[in-house]
Every structure is written in C-alpha cells, then in structure tokens.
Amino acid sequence: SVAINYDRNNRADKQLYALERELIEAVIRFDGKVNLTKFPYLRAEEANAMYPDFEKFKKIKLQYDPH
C-alpha cells in the first residue's frame, strides 16, 4: 500500500488533471488498485482495468442505490 498526498490548492485544473492521469496510468501499469473512496477520478475503462468485477459491483450497487 502506498499513499501519495498532494496539495490541490493553488494548482491549475489542467495540472491536477495531468497529475491524476499520470498516477492512474502508473497504478494500472503495475497492476495496482486505488481506493475508490479516496480517489474518485477514474474513467470507466480505468476502473475496469483495476477491478475486473467492476461491472458486477455496479449492478449490485444499482439494486440498493439506483440514484
């Protein structure tokens, strides 16, 4: 487990987006996973790459929380 804290203040949205994309790419490249409750910036294909059963999770989630 690795935690990376970074300051979101005083940074341009473009900079943050680039940083987050780079982090996600590295996590996927090394077969890692992010904590979804702490890193909610994933695209669908990234979530599927990290969590092969992500579609099953979404179906179950919709049963209990359709909104």
Side-chain angles (χ1 to χ4, degrees):
S1 176
V2 175
I4 300 173
N5 296 316
Y6 55 93
D7 185 8
R8 295 183 57 88
N9 297 319
N10 303 315
R11 293 186 190 237
D13 288 342
K14 225 175 180 177
Q15 277 182 313
L16 288 170
Y17 183 80
L19 172 65
E20 289 161 356
R21 297 278 61 86
E22 226 176 298
L23 288 171
I24 290 168
E25 288 173 16
V27 169
I28 291 170
R29 187 171 47 249
F30 292 102
D31 297 322
K33 293 175 176 54
V34 297
N35 182 330
L36 296 175
T37 62
K38 296 186 180 214
F39 203 93
Y41 313 108
L42 293 182
R43 297 177 185 149
E45 64 271 11
E46 294 165 340
N48 287 323
M50 289 182 205
Y51 296 92
D53 291 331
F54 193 67
E55 292 303 317
K56 289 180 190 175
F57 167 77
K58 284 178 16 182
K59 286 179 185 176
I60 293 168
K61 186 241 181 241
L62 285 173
Q63 288 177 341
Y64 294 96
D65 181 15
H67 304 289

